Amino acid sequence: MSTTRLLKKDLFGEIWLQKSGSGPTILRDTRSARWWLKWLARALLRREARGLAAMQGIAGVPALIHCDKERLTRSYHTGTPLPKGTPAGRAYFADAARLLRRMHCAGVVHNDLAKEPNLLVCDDGNPAFIDFQLAWHSTGRGRLFRIAAHEDIRHLLKHKRTYCADALTQRELRILAKPSPLSRAYMGLVKPVYLFVTRRLFGWSDREGAGDRGQQT
């Protein structure tokens, strides 16, 4: 017997938790996306699928199960979003840094680790990353990839500073103090537009999901 539960519905479609005898999975369905955003919802679906496919076999990120033009199914991690989970300490962030290195070695940058709910504290205490819609998979890992990877690291360190600042090394403090030129340009030029569109037009916030996801989505 299988059951489904709607976790989230927005302009880009729906996210469902599916439970069956083979275990729980997450379904991202763009068929209900608004007509004027359906093209973007499908583009983000393809982007997520490419990133997940490149990371198959890496523990701590969702495994891609199926993807077609409109729907993506991935594995489910039992855990709690970082803002709601057990306070993360040194061991959690050391493991999260190792996970991030494995992702980058696979040619994938997350591009959305600034959002705390995209980091999970799993039931065993290990870290996991979710929501790879903005992820970028690159086989060449050129200069732009390295800049994006640096920003992934810096965003993870920001969370480490929030939860266990005393564990930051001198090198990590230097990384935090020096955002990339791309990041500075984003903060000055792109982010104001992003915040207007997402918060004023779409009604989102960067902490969306922090209070209503419960367990992992």
Side-chain angles (χ1 to χ4, degrees):
M1 179 179 179
S2 62
T3 61
T4 60
R5 178 165 64 92
L6 182 65
L7 297 177
K8 182 180 178 182
K9 183 172 183 177
D10 58 23
L11 299 178
F12 292 94
E14 300 169 341
I15 299 177
W16 294 83
L17 172 62
Q18 304 178 126
K19 294 183 179 180
S20 66
S22 58
T25 58
I26 295 294
L27 169 68
R28 188 184 298 278
D29 192 339
T30 66
R31 290 177 297 178
S32 64
R34 299 295 175 86
W35 66 268
W36 50 282
L37 281 175
K38 189 159 289 189
W39 66 273
L40 180 56
R42 290 176 177 176
L44 293 174
L45 195 79
R46 294 192 299 271
R47 195 178 184 97
E48 182 174 12
R50 286 194 294 269
L52 295 183
M55 298 185 295
Q56 291 284 65
I58 297 179
V61 297
L64 179 65
I65 297 172
H66 171 78
C67 184
D68 57 33
K69 184 178 180 180
E70 298 178 314
R71 291 171 293 181
L72 181 148
T73 303
R74 58 176 173 80
S75 64
Y76 174 91
H77 281 282
T78 303
T80 308
L82 185 59
K84 308 291 288 186
T86 302
R90 292 171 182 259
Y92 175 89
F93 284 103
D95 290 340
R98 282 190 286 270
L99 173 57
L100 194 55
R101 285 194 293 272
R102 288 194 289 270
M103 282 176 45
H104 291 165
C105 286
V108 178
V109 288
H110 190 284
N111 282 328
D112 207 18
L113 287 181
K115 294 181 180 177
E116 287 189 15
N118 287 343
L119 288 79
L120 296 184
V121 181
C122 296
D123 287 352
D124 59 5
N126 289 324
F129 302 146
I130 59 171
D131 197 353
F132 283 82
Q133 285 189 96
L134 299 182
W136 174 29
H137 174 231
S138 172
T139 55
R141 290 188 286 175
R143 185 168 183 270
L144 284 178
F145 179 91
R146 294 194 298 273
I147 291 173
H150 180 272
E151 289 306 299
D152 272 355
I153 295 169
R154 205 167 64 84
H155 287 136
L156 179 61
L157 292 177
K158 284 184 176 181
H159 300 314
K160 184 176 180 179
R161 182 174 60 191
T162 297
Y163 291 93
C164 54
D166 61 326
L168 288 167
T169 66
Q170 289 301 311
R171 178 176 179 273
E172 291 171 340
L173 289 170
R174 288 194 296 271
I175 292 173
L176 283 169
K178 291 187 65 176
S180 69
L182 185 64
S183 175
R184 290 195 294 270
Y186 170 81
M187 293 298 292
L189 300 175
V190 179
K191 190 167 186 178
V193 178
Y194 168 83
L195 293 177
F196 175 80
V197 172
T198 58
R199 294 184 180 180
R200 296 292 183 87
L201 300 184
F202 294 167
W204 298 346
S205 72
D206 281 349
R207 289 178 61 84
E208 182 177 357
D212 61 5
R213 286 190 181 186
Q215 289 191 321
Q216 185 275 74
T217 62

